[in-house]
Amino acid sequence: MAESLNARVNTRIPRRMKEDLSALSKRRHLDESDLARALLDEGLRREKHPGIVFRSTPSGREAALEGRRLYVWQVIETTRASDGNVEETADYLAIRPYQVRSAVDYYAEYGPEIDQLIEENRQEATRARERWGRQQQALRPSN
């Protein structure tokens, strides 16, 4: 669910930043204002949640652990499977407990969007399993 745009920020920026924003918005096929809002939002989230970065994925930008190939949704899903045990999660994912806590802290503030990513990934995994099953069936010799 998109947030309502009910506040305004007016600022001047160097021409270089404007040109970079324009070029990036063209590459990403986004409106400059939408991209500027997204970048500002990501920057504020990074400030509030050290150790969290944002990466582009086929479905959009996603929160991830800095320096790792793990997304916050993956850490949360693993933590839930470990009954909330941070140490066990860290051991399983080969990361530090503070990194698990960073993901949990981020989740505490942005849970609904992380839950949506978890659900989307579960649905995709189900579709992939079904596709694999159909492929295996297609490879069996007919009698």
Side-chain angles (χ1 to χ4, degrees), residues 4-22:
S4 63
L5 304 177
N6 54 10
R8 180 178 282 290
V9 172
N10 188 9
T11 186
R12 298 183 64 77
I13 59 174
R15 182 175 310 279
R16 171 197 54 79
M17 286 176 66
K18 172 66 171 99
E19 290 168 356
D20 288 347
L21 181 65
S22 181

Side-chain angles (χ1 to χ4, degrees), residues 28 42 51 53-72 74:
R28 290 193 184 173
E42 286 181 13
V53 296
F54 293 86
R55 295 197 184 102
S56 293
T57 71
S59 61
R61 303 277 289 170
E62 292 185 23
L65 291 182
E66 186 173 29
R68 299 294 179 165
R69 292 182 175 198
L70 288 169
Y71 292 95
V72 169
Q74 293 170 308

Side-chain angles (χ1 to χ4, degrees), residues 51-94:
I52 301 298
V53 296
F54 293 86
R55 295 197 184 102
S56 293
T57 71
S59 61
R61 303 277 289 170
E62 292 185 23
L65 291 182
E66 186 173 29
R68 299 294 179 165
R69 292 182 175 198
L70 288 169
Y71 292 95
V72 169
W73 70 265
Q74 293 170 308
V75 176
I76 296 304
E77 197 167 42
T78 305
T79 305
R80 287 177 176 164
S82 299
D83 293 324
N85 187 317
V86 169
E87 299 289 332
E88 185 178 314
T89 300
D91 286 345
Y92 182 80
L93 295 174

